[in-house]
Amino acid sequence: MENIYDLIVIGCGPGGMAAAIKASSLGLKTAVIEKDKPGGVCLHSGCIPSKAIIHKAELFRSQKELEEMGLKIDCNGFDYNKVFSYSKKTIGSLLKGTEFLLKKSGVFLIKSEAKITDMNEVILSNGAKLTAKSIIIATGSKFKEIPGCKIDEKEIISSLGALNLQKLPKRLMIIGSGPIGIEFAHIMNVFGVEVQIVEMMKSILPFEDTEIVDVLRRDFRRRGIAVYVGTKLVSAQKSDEGIKVVLEKEDGKLLEETVDKLLIAVGRTPNTQNVGLGNVNVQTDQGFISVNDNYQTAVKSIYAVGDVINTPMLAHVASKEGELAAENAAGLTSGKVEKSEIPRAVYCEPQIACFGYTETEVEEKGISYLKGICNFRSSSKAVAIGKPDGLIKVLCHKSTKEILGVHIIGAEATELIHEMLLAKKSGIQIEAVGKMVHAHPSLSECIMEVAKAFA
């Protein structure tokens, strides 16, 4: 094993891997240190396995359409363990690709724990010391717990426990209605689980546009998913009948429910405790590492990206930050990821994808704006494929026509969002999107139609 590098990256999730590969492509001798397997939470216990399961859920849900064509569907042989096995197989396949890509890119992969001991030094778990001109911290995050509600990954579970289920519960309560909670609500409901969502704030997906959330909530109501907003968890006690949960509603009334599994999905917290930050006086704020616009800490040779800094905890954000930090470490000037240009995606059904300001935020900032909406029911393609529920909402500056925010709920929303995002990033006027010829029939015609509203 080599001991001297140009760059050492601690952590090989999306941010660390992107940083290492970019640095190597720029000619830096680069090592990435990972205590587990390359890929991080995204590959092993987040984005990828959940999307594999969502794919199977959509196939399972399609049985209703097959029955409408006269086919008889017998679900007696359904085995959820096979869905679990498929997600694991997907992880295994992508893991091999990840390791191959690192090797092909000339990155040295070191499997070990690591701690920073000096501004240019890292020590491994076996005592070996490595030095580098620069260090990038990309150690990711872990799930948050609720005080007094210990996660055991058996009855009280995190998203990791939910992904590792090999047998479905009959009754599931989800605490937290961010993207993770909403996606699991969708998955479990499709497979016949009785699902309840509990959210302390006044709305599910509380930071997304209200008109978008209203569409999702109506759909969840039709599907029998119970939603409690303005409600908090008071206690959860295991019993012979299951987990007895006490909730407190906004008016102070208590509600008691008994479920088989309790999923805690109230966010994530950065992994910054055991990296050695105190050895080099790297500052943190509420657990997040403080960085400048170049992802550089107060120690000029040390950078940080991804979930350990106070930016949106999204894999694609971490990846881009990793690339930019690597460029900055190589002496290039690359700037930072603009928050207004970060897409957010929720892979429930219907899908949700957004970027920029919500209408509430625009109003709070006192910005004069115009609004355009196109409902999916006006889309020939959406009606033809049996997915007419949804809408596209665009907010633009009243005078400049600058795109302020785009919010989509409906079929393939997570793919459709990027046309508008490209227009935003490129400074393209909204009217130009409306004048562009779109294929017919296509879901993207909805984008064209909503853009025409600003002509």
Side-chain angles (χ1 to χ4, degrees):
M1 181 177 62
E2 305 261 352
N3 293 93
I4 302 174
Y5 298 90
D6 294 314
L7 176 68
I8 291 174
V9 182
I10 304 176
C12 194
M17 183 174 174
I21 291 173
K22 170 58 74 171
S24 186
S25 74
L26 293 172
L28 301 185
K29 183 180 177 183
T30 304
V32 60
I33 306 171
E34 172 56 55
K35 66 178 182 178
D36 296 315
K37 297 176 182 178
V41 168
C42 179
L43 175 56
H44 298 284
S45 56
C47 322
I48 302 306
S50 65
K51 302 315 168 280
I53 293 172
I54 286 171
H55 168 64
K56 291 298 185 182
E58 288 308 300
L59 292 176
F60 189 86
R61 197 181 190 198
S62 68
Q63 65 183 285
K64 293 180 181 178
E65 294 183 47
L66 296 175
E67 287 172 346
E68 289 174 358
M69 293 189 287
L71 298 177
K72 302 293 184 182
I73 309 296
D74 183 1
C75 293
N76 289 328
F78 172 66
D79 181 1
Y80 185 77
N81 185 50
K82 295 187 183 298
V83 176
F84 166 76
S85 297
Y86 173 77
S87 72
K88 287 297 183 183
K89 183 179 179 181
T90 302
I91 293 169
S93 176
L94 290 172
L95 175 60
K96 290 179 182 178
T98 296
E99 292 175 333
F100 173 77
L101 184 56
L102 288 168
K103 185 176 181 180
K104 180 183 177 183
S105 301
V107 175
F108 293 85
L109 173 61
I110 300 171
K111 296 184 178 180
S112 172
E113 292 188 355
K115 184 173 289 188
I116 299 171
T117 52
D118 200 353
M119 60 189 295
N120 300 105
E121 184 181 79
V122 169
I123 189 168
L124 305 181
S125 52
N126 65 1
K129 292 184 178 180
L130 311 180
T131 61
K133 295 176 183 177
S134 301
I135 298 169
I136 295 178
I137 302 168
T139 47
S141 64
K142 59 186 176 183
F143 56 80
K144 279 185 180 178
E145 293 196 60
I146 298 175
C149 189
K150 181 67 176 176
I151 292 174
D152 59 15
E153 301 297 16
K154 293 178 181 179
E155 283 81 27
I156 301 177
I157 59 177
S158 68
S159 56
L160 175 60
L163 288 169
N164 285 331
L165 288 174
Q166 298 179 50
K167 183 180 178 181
L168 293 171
K170 290 183 179 179
R171 302 160 298 179
L172 172 69
M173 179 176 285
I174 301 172
I175 308 297
S177 70
I180 293 173
I182 292 297
E183 288 179 7
F184 277 111
H186 164 60
I187 291 168
M188 294 298 155
N189 171 264
V190 167
F191 287 122
V193 177
E194 181 184 310
V195 177
Q196 301 174 68
I197 302 173
V198 177
E199 172 55 55
M200 191 164 62
M201 297 183 75
K202 294 184 178 181
S203 171
I204 57 173
L205 292 174
F207 302 110
E208 297 301 346
D209 192 272
T210 55
E211 287 186 80
I212 297 297
V213 173
D214 286 345
V215 175
L216 179 66
R217 186 163 181 174
R218 287 196 297 271
D219 184 80
F220 272 17
R221 188 182 298 119
R222 285 195 297 267
R223 292 167 56 178
I225 298 174
V227 175
Y228 302 104
V229 295
T231 304
K232 65 180 181 180
L233 174 68
V234 175
S235 65
Q237 299 292 329
K238 297 177 184 179
S239 69
D240 293 338
E241 293 80 30
I243 305 173
K244 290 189 176 181
V245 180
V246 177
L247 306 173
E248 183 180 347
K249 302 184 80 173
E250 198 170 22
D251 58 7
K253 291 183 179 179
L254 298 181
L255 176 67
E256 295 185 8
E257 295 283 351
T258 300
V259 297
D260 301 302
K261 301 281 186 187
L262 183 66
L263 169 57
I264 307 299
V266 292
R268 301 185 65 82
T269 186
N271 289 324
T272 54
Q273 294 81 12
N274 299 307
V275 188
L277 302 183
N279 295 331
V280 285
N281 200 30
V282 167
Q283 301 299 309
T284 61
D285 182 7
Q286 297 183 326
F288 293 101
I289 297 173
S290 301
V291 295
N292 62 18
D293 287 350
N294 294 321
Y295 303 102
Q296 194 173 39
T297 69
V299 180
K300 292 185 177 181
S301 60
I302 300 177
Y303 299 75
V305 300
D307 290 2
V308 295
I309 66 174
N310 196 11
T311 55
M313 288 182 163
L314 300 169
H316 47 281
V317 173
S319 294
K320 191 61 181 176
E321 289 173 346
E323 291 180 355
L324 294 174
E327 291 175 355
N328 289 321
L332 304 176
T333 303
S334 299
K336 64 176 182 178
V337 179
E338 293 297 332
K339 187 177 180 181
S340 63
E341 297 172 359
I342 295 172
R344 308 183 298 277
V346 187
Y347 295 83
C348 52
E349 184 60 39
Q351 291 183 2
I352 295 173
C354 315
F355 70 82
Y357 293 132
T358 65
E359 189 167 3
T360 299
E361 289 172 331
V362 171
E363 290 175 347
E364 288 176 347
K365 291 180 179 295
I367 300 172
S368 297
Y369 70 98
L370 299 171
K371 176 172 71 172
I373 290 179
C374 179
N375 287 289
F376 271 43
R377 290 190 179 277
S378 66
S379 164
S380 301
K381 178 68 176 291
V383 173
I385 64 175
K387 295 186 176 181
D389 292 330
L391 61 87
I392 296 178
K393 177 177 180 178
V394 178
L395 306 172
C396 283
H397 194 284
K398 189 172 184 179
S399 58
T400 66
K401 299 294 179 69
E402 175 193 357
I403 298 172
L404 300 172
V406 177
H407 308 272
I408 308 176
I409 182 167
E412 302 300 332
T414 58
E415 302 293 338
L416 290 173
I417 193 69
H418 296 97
E419 180 179 347
M420 280 297 201
L421 184 54
L422 178 61
K424 162 72 174 175
K425 186 169 181 61
S426 303
I428 296 173
Q429 294 270 323
I430 188 68
E431 296 101 319
V433 178
K435 292 176 180 177
M436 189 177 80
V437 178
H438 289 66
H440 176 78
S442 67
L443 294 172
S444 62
E445 284 179 295
C446 289
I447 291 177
M448 176 182 69
E449 292 301 328
V450 74
K452 285 180 178 179
F454 297 94

